[in-house]
Amino acid sequence: MSKPRECEGCPLHKKGGNFVPPAGDGSSGIMAVLEAPGAEEDAQCIPAVGKSGRLLNSALTKYKRETLTIFNTVNCRPPNNKLTGTDYGAVAIEHCKVHRDRVVRE
């Protein structure tokens, strides 16, 4: 998936993986906020389909996954799947704020 214009200037714009947009319709009023896309999310451009997604799905008993709003703190997979403790992590998190704000407003 191509990256939105707002991604220009982010440290993950060129060194990160694919842009993974939010998923779900939000009808339950519940948001699942994850750190960053992993390998499976990067490949499918869908949040929470890998290991974290399986954990999320197993925790859902009352709600269907489609009724949640699911998104990542950053929308691109970081190099080596590492965000915390890197020199670019805080900058990428701040840069992706525009995407998070859009999801929260909707």
Side-chain angles (χ1 to χ4, degrees), residues 8-65:
E8 292 176 13
C10 176
L12 298 179
H13 184 253
K14 294 203 187 242
K15 37 181 192 178
N18 292 313
F19 183 83
V20 179
D25 66 16
S27 61
S28 68
I30 298 172
M31 289 185 167
V33 183
L34 308 168
E35 182 182 25
E40 291 180 54
E41 290 82 6
D42 182 43
Q44 296 181 45
C45 294
I46 301 171
V49 292
K51 186 177 179 182
S52 63
R54 289 188 290 278
L55 181 61
L56 175 65
N57 291 341
S58 69
L60 294 174
T61 56
K62 186 177 178 182
Y63 300 97
K64 292 185 180 191
R65 175 188 165 95

